[in-house]
Amino acid sequence: MKTKFTTLTVLITFLIFGSQSAFGQVIFSDDFESGTSQWILEGQWGLTSSESHSPSNSLTESPSGNYNNNWEFSATMASDVDLSGALGADVKFWAKYDIEVGLEFDNMYLEATKDGTTWTQLARFEGEGVPWTQFSYQLDGFLGNSNVKLRFRFYSDQGYRVDGMYIDDFEISTSDADTVQPLIVHDAPQFYEGSFSSHNVVATITDISSIQSAEVHYMVDSGTVQIISPSSIVGDVYTFTIPPADHGSQIDYQIFATDTLNNTTQNPPTHSFISGEYLFYDNPVVSYLNRVNANRGVAVRITPTAGNERLVYALIRNYTDINNPNDDFEFHVWADDNGTPGADLITPFIVTPEANLQVTSPMTRIDLRAYGEQLSNITSDYFIGFTVPSGTTNITQHSPVTANRSFAWNGSAWNSVNYDYHFRAVMSDQNALPVELTSFTVSNKGSSVQLEWNTATEINNYGFEVERASLAGNWSNIGFVQGYGNSNAPKSYSFTDNPNNGTKFLYRLKQIDTDGQFEYSDIVEVEITPTEFVLEQNFPNPFNPTTKISYTLPERSSVSIKVYDAIGNEIAELANGEKEAGVYEVEFIAENLPTGIYFYHFNSGKFSQTKKMMLLK
């Protein structure tokens, strides 16, 4: 149905306003009561008096009634707005709309540009019966630019047609205070497409006040949330490397960023991919809906790329709308029988399509890891697909055919079809061999710990996560060391840790293959023996509003740490009591304090020292 695919995901805060905008100075406004001179209009865009938020006109893509098939027309601001001196900006407007639901079908887009050529999507609108609502979107990613324009772009396919969108009381405002979160632009995975080994998440992150930090939070199969920092930063482009996971695992992740004024990402979108070798042959653009009726079937031929693989996941793209409900289907994996589906490789089972009226054409996910024995050692073509026991199951397809891999069952025979079904497979390579670890030692170097280990051979070695625990056994990931991948020669590795809050620690290595399989080393114990009192400089410094202070005790001591302002007033007490020998860390939070110089004083009876730190808000 659709002739264009949008893959850009932009993180923008969206508010349905019940209160006044925090942005003050209006630099562009249009209530559409004085014509359309502030806009460049394409196609049928124009004014109507049949609907309006404030009397008596609004802007719409189809003033004469329902929109038509195969439209793609824009309404673009005729003049630029200057955001070069602003610290905050937003656009807000009122809208009412009836637009066919579905990413692949009819959509209204709100887009912005700072060069007149490259347009960034701020919002996408779909849905029927949406009443007059005020929308607001931050323009933080366009601050510092003097040639900013916005446009509404409407797209329709060749099917269902309704009334479209009405737009009224449009305005852009600026502020002299930065109170908005950083802008994150990320090209997210489409339809769960992942990686065979590690997965790089690349995002462009910008903010008028500069970026202080960024991180990715991810989960594997809805497990514990893991947090990773960027593996590289080049200008505004941040790359985060999610380690390999067991093939067939679903990884869900979110991107967070904080600017130097501590404006932090709130409720970012969740993106997902499935680990493994992702195989597909279709053009992902939807051309038509295909209704598969009772006692009929559909299949797509899959070709393994390695000599010995295991099928771990299948994806079937279903579709629904109010006129096309779905019934359950019976999923199959068939052997190849002279180019068409043959004998079942597993016992077929019933699957409920994931499509609903909110998400009309998603991939239905089918986890096949439980069928490891039957779906292992695949060396030749096979088919994935389904039959319909009763009712109708809807799928999407693309035409004309590009792969010649799709087949339909008519009740008595399989026949090749001249279009492509949107079916995908995820596979795992079974040829990977484990890494041979020959030694793993840990030694103390004063208040630090040196870890060293050696391997004899390596095949598909992604690397090693280094984990530390107290004697209570609470393990945490403290670092990662990249592996050599494949090697027949001995290799040596090392890692330095600076633990705190104790003297005895446990360490282990988590060796990870490129296919996500992993194995733990033996556990080793070390005792730190500090030889002198040490008070470290706080980090970070300057800070806002939190910083950490580390100190070392060579013996059991009574410890006091106090914070003073520049004229000697005591602000906070961070430590007061007996501590065993070891390395420790305390945190100072200055949320309610003004910018300025502060001092922290350490006293243990035998050792006393004062250091300076700066709070910069």
Side-chain angles (χ1 to χ4, degrees):
M1 292 182 179
K2 188 179 177 187
T3 58
K4 179 180 289 186
F5 229 78
T6 302
T7 59
L8 181 65
T9 299
V10 181
L11 174 59
I12 299 288
T13 298
F14 162 62
L15 302 173
I16 298 180
F17 268 66
S19 60
Q20 187 175 2
S21 170
F23 294 87
Q25 182 180 359
V26 177
I27 62 171
F28 181 96
S29 66
D30 198 338
D31 61 5
F32 304 106
E33 301 306 312
S34 301
T36 59
S37 60
Q38 296 194 85
W39 300 84
I40 299 172
L41 305 179
E42 299 176 347
Q44 302 301 312
W45 276 94
L47 299 184
T48 181
S49 58
S50 64
E51 294 282 355
S52 66
H53 173 256
S54 62
S56 56
N57 295 324
S58 66
L59 181 69
T60 180
E61 83 292 332
S62 53
S64 301
N66 291 353
Y67 55 77
N68 215 330
N69 292 335
N70 300 316
W71 277 9
E72 187 169 9
F73 302 127
S74 298
T76 305
M77 289 170 49
S79 301
D80 300 332
V81 291
D82 185 356
L83 303 182
S84 59
L87 293 179
D90 77 348
V91 55
K92 60 183 179 182
F93 57 92
W94 288 82
K96 172 184 179 180
Y97 56 89
D98 285 286
I99 299 174
E100 182 187 9
V101 175
L103 175 63
E104 301 304 308
F105 308 130
D106 303 342
N107 293 277
M108 181 71 77
Y109 299 94
L110 174 64
E111 299 171 327
T113 184
K114 55 189 175 183
D115 60 11
T117 302
T118 302
W119 292 88
T120 299
Q121 179 183 316
L122 303 183
R124 180 177 65 86
F125 301 91
E126 63 175 13
E128 295 187 49
V130 178
W132 281 108
T133 305
Q134 190 178 35
F135 300 92
S136 177
Y137 300 91
Q138 296 171 0
L139 299 175
D140 201 34
F142 300 89
L143 299 176
N145 295 279
S146 60
N147 300 307
V148 178
K149 285 184 178 180
L150 276 68
R151 73 180 181 186
F152 291 94
R153 179 172 61 87
F154 181 74
Y155 174 88
S156 65
D157 64 10
Q158 56 188 353
Y160 186 68
R161 296 174 293 174
V162 279
D163 200 20
M165 177 179 275
Y166 301 94
I167 301 157
D168 205 356
D169 299 325
F170 180 96
E171 66 179 36
I172 298 173
S173 302
T174 60
S175 171
D176 58 3
D178 180 9
T179 60
V180 296
Q181 63 192 35
L183 175 70
I184 301 174
V185 180
H186 172 50
D187 191 2
Q190 291 290 312
F191 305 118
Y192 304 99
E193 183 174 1
S195 304
F196 189 80
S197 56
S198 59
H199 185 89
N200 285 333
V201 174
V202 181
T204 300
I205 306 177
T206 56
D207 190 273
I208 192 65
S209 298
S210 300
I211 300 300
Q212 175 178 255
S213 63
E215 57 191 24
V216 162
H217 297 194
Y218 74 94
M219 297 186 301
V220 179
D221 286 334
S222 301
T224 303
V225 174
Q226 306 289 325
I227 300 176
I228 55 174
S229 299
S231 53
S232 73
I233 304 174
V234 180
D236 295 330
V237 179
Y238 290 67
T239 301
F240 307 83
T241 302
I242 297 178
D246 189 18
H247 287 169
S249 301
Q250 179 173 319
I251 292 84
D252 303 310
Y253 67 90
Q254 297 174 303
I255 308 172
F256 292 83
T258 302
D259 67 18
T260 54
L261 296 180
N262 285 323
N263 297 308
T264 300
T265 307
Q266 302 295 321
N267 302 316
T270 298
H271 309 295
S272 303
F273 65 88
I274 295 170
S275 178
E277 183 184 19
Y278 189 94
L279 300 177
F280 73 102
Y281 312 96
D282 57 77
N283 182 328
V285 173
V286 176
S287 299
Y288 302 101
L289 156 70
N290 188 311
R291 299 178 181 89
V292 185
N293 295 320
N295 302 316
R296 298 295 188 267
V298 284
V300 169
R301 178 168 52 89
I302 307 295
T303 301
T305 60
N308 183 22
E309 293 191 85
R310 176 168 57 98
L311 176 62
V312 294
Y313 224 97
L315 298 160
I316 304 291
R317 192 172 181 192
N318 292 109
Y319 171 80
T320 194
D321 59 38
I322 193 170
N323 298 312
N324 292 283
N326 271 313
D327 292 292
D328 292 349
F329 61 81
E330 189 174 67
F331 178 77
H332 293 254
V333 181
W334 294 282
D336 178 69
D337 183 11
N338 294 317
T340 61
D344 281 303
L345 296 179
I346 60 173
T347 301
F349 55 90
I350 296 296
V351 173
T352 299
E354 292 188 37
N356 56 58
L357 295 180
Q358 287 71 48
V359 184
T360 58
S361 57
M363 285 289 183
T364 295
R365 294 162 291 173
I366 304 167
D367 190 345
L368 298 171
R369 286 175 290 178
Y371 297 87
E373 183 176 347
Q374 300 100 307
L375 299 179
S376 294
N377 304 312
I378 297 176
T379 58
S380 59
D381 287 3
Y382 63 95
F383 291 80
I384 59 172
F386 64 86
T387 56
V388 179
S390 63
T392 300
T393 301
N394 306 305
I395 58 173
T396 61
Q397 65 187 40
H398 176 80
S399 180
V401 64
T402 59
N404 290 308
R405 289 175 172 266
S406 295
F407 292 80
W409 172 256
N410 62 14
S412 59
W414 286 101
N415 296 290
S416 177
V417 295
N418 61 350
Y419 32 80
D420 295 323
Y421 303 136
H422 295 132
F423 299 175
R424 281 94 188 274
V426 181
M427 303 198 70
S428 178
D429 185 3
Q430 296 179 267
N431 292 315
L433 298 177
V435 173
E436 183 180 355
L437 186 68
T438 57
S439 66
F440 176 38
T441 61
V442 179
S443 58
N444 71 71
K445 304 291 184 181
S447 61
S448 65
V449 175
Q450 184 74 11
L451 293 81
E452 297 179 339
W453 63 98
N454 296 282
T455 62
T457 59
E458 298 182 16
I459 298 179
N460 292 343
N461 179 22
Y462 174 69
F464 302 86
E465 287 184 0
V466 182
E467 298 186 356
R468 180 185 66 217
S470 64
L471 293 184
N474 297 317
W475 292 99
S476 59
N477 179 6
I478 60 171
F480 179 78
V481 178
Q482 192 77 38
Y484 282 91
N486 297 289
S487 173
N488 292 320
K491 299 295 181 183
S492 298
Y493 299 87
S494 65
F495 182 86
T496 301
D497 184 32
N498 295 289
N500 51 54
N501 298 332
T503 58
K504 293 184 178 181
F505 300 94
L506 305 174
Y507 290 89
R508 69 183 181 186
L509 301 174
K510 181 180 179 181
Q511 186 274 316
I512 306 172
D513 288 344
T514 55
D515 65 356
Q517 299 183 66
F518 62 88
E519 186 175 0
Y520 285 106
S521 70
D522 292 335
I523 297 172
V524 294
E525 180 180 337
V526 65
E527 182 173 3
I528 297 175
T529 54
T531 58
E532 61 181 351
F533 290 96
V534 176
L535 177 65
E536 303 288 353
Q537 183 64 51
N538 67 297
F539 181 84
N541 189 41
F543 68 98
N544 178 28
T546 302
T547 190
K548 293 182 178 180
I549 301 168
S550 298
Y551 61 94
T552 302
L553 305 175
E555 59 189 48
R556 180 180 174 85
S557 305
S558 178
V559 173
S560 171
I561 302 177
K562 295 182 177 181
V563 178
Y564 300 88
D565 64 17
I567 60 174
N569 296 315
E570 182 179 327
I571 300 300
E573 185 175 55
L574 305 181
N576 184 10
E578 293 288 324
K579 295 286 187 182
E580 299 293 335
V583 181
Y584 297 89
E585 182 179 82
V586 294
E587 185 176 61
F588 176 48
I589 302 174
E591 282 183 333
N592 300 320
L593 296 175
T595 295
I597 300 295
Y598 293 85
F599 299 89
Y600 58 98
H601 178 72
F602 174 92
N603 185 18
S604 67
K606 293 183 179 181
F607 175 79
S608 179
Q609 190 174 19
T610 301
K611 292 197 173 188
K612 181 172 66 174
M613 57 184 171
M614 176 177 287
L615 172 62
L616 184 61
K617 291 189 173 181

